[in-house]
Structures are given as C-alpha cells and as structure tokens.
Amino acid sequence: MSFTTPGQFYEVDVNEITDTMIGCTCPDHVRSGALCKHMFLVNRIEKIALMDRTSRQVTPLLIAQATEHQVDDPEDALVLAMERLSTSAEKLNTQLTKLQDISTK
C-alpha cells in the first residue's frame, strides 16, 4: 500500500525458500534497488527478514545499525527509523514548497 497515494498498492517479493524479502514494485525500490519503507513495514509486521544489499548475502538486517542510538529491540529501531523518515519527508516537502514559490515569482 502506498503511504502517499490512496488506492495505490505495491507488491513486496519474498523468497519463500530463505524467507527473506528480495524486492518491491514501488518506484523507489525499482529505481535504486535499495530497501524501501514497504519492505521495512513487511519486516515489522510479518517478521520476514530483509536482504542485506551491501554484502549480497541474505541476512536479517537490524535497522538499529543505521541509527545513532543504541536500540535493542528491532521494532523500536524501526519506529525510530520511520520517525526519521517522516521528519526528512516533511523537511523535503517544505523545501519543495519554497522552490515552487520561488519558481512562480
């Protein structure tokens, strides 16, 4: 499901043999090949491991590794990561609005 477009759904692909996610049909993942927010959500709800793209090995990825804080619970780490993502999105939207205002003057 899209977080920003009502009625838009994306499919997260899972390798059923290794029980790990291998992809998503959302534009962000298709374009970059990076883990996306849809994959993180599936990881949180379904407890399906994320693929570690840097090593090309299939391992559970602890989101806490990407944070500055020590977080023992992966779910807490996901919440923290999603909060940071939301804050970043808000900042980007503010900058985009400023740029649009400038370009229309």
Side-chain angles (χ1 to χ4, degrees):
M1 172 175 77
S2 172
F3 291 94
T4 56
T5 308
Q8 177 68 51
F9 293 88
Y10 301 113
E11 184 176 325
V12 174
D13 299 319
V14 176
N15 180 329
E16 293 182 19
I17 295 170
T18 60
D19 197 31
T20 55
M21 285 177 268
I22 55 175
C24 180
T25 60
C26 76
D28 287 338
H29 179 76
V30 170
R31 180 177 49 253
S32 70
L35 297 171
C36 66
K37 57 190 171 189
H38 309 102
M39 295 170 83
F40 285 111
L41 182 63
V42 169
N43 171 259
R44 179 177 184 189
I45 294 172
E46 299 295 330
K47 307 294 187 227
I48 297 173
L50 299 165
M51 176 180 277
D52 182 349
R53 294 281 197 192
T54 58
S55 67
R56 298 288 183 204
Q57 295 177 1
V58 178
T59 58
L61 178 66
L62 295 177
I63 302 159
Q65 293 172 349
T67 68
E68 297 170 4
H69 305 286
Q70 178 62 33
V71 181
D72 295 325
D73 183 2
E75 287 190 23
D76 290 342
L78 178 62
V79 169
L80 180 61
M82 293 299 287
E83 288 171 356
R84 288 182 175 192
L85 178 62
S86 177
T87 300
S88 295
E90 289 172 10
K91 289 178 182 178
L92 286 172
N93 282 332
T94 300
Q95 293 299 322
L96 179 60
T97 301
K98 288 178 182 178
L99 288 172
Q100 288 172 335
D101 290 345
I102 292 169
S103 67
T104 57
K105 290 182 180 183

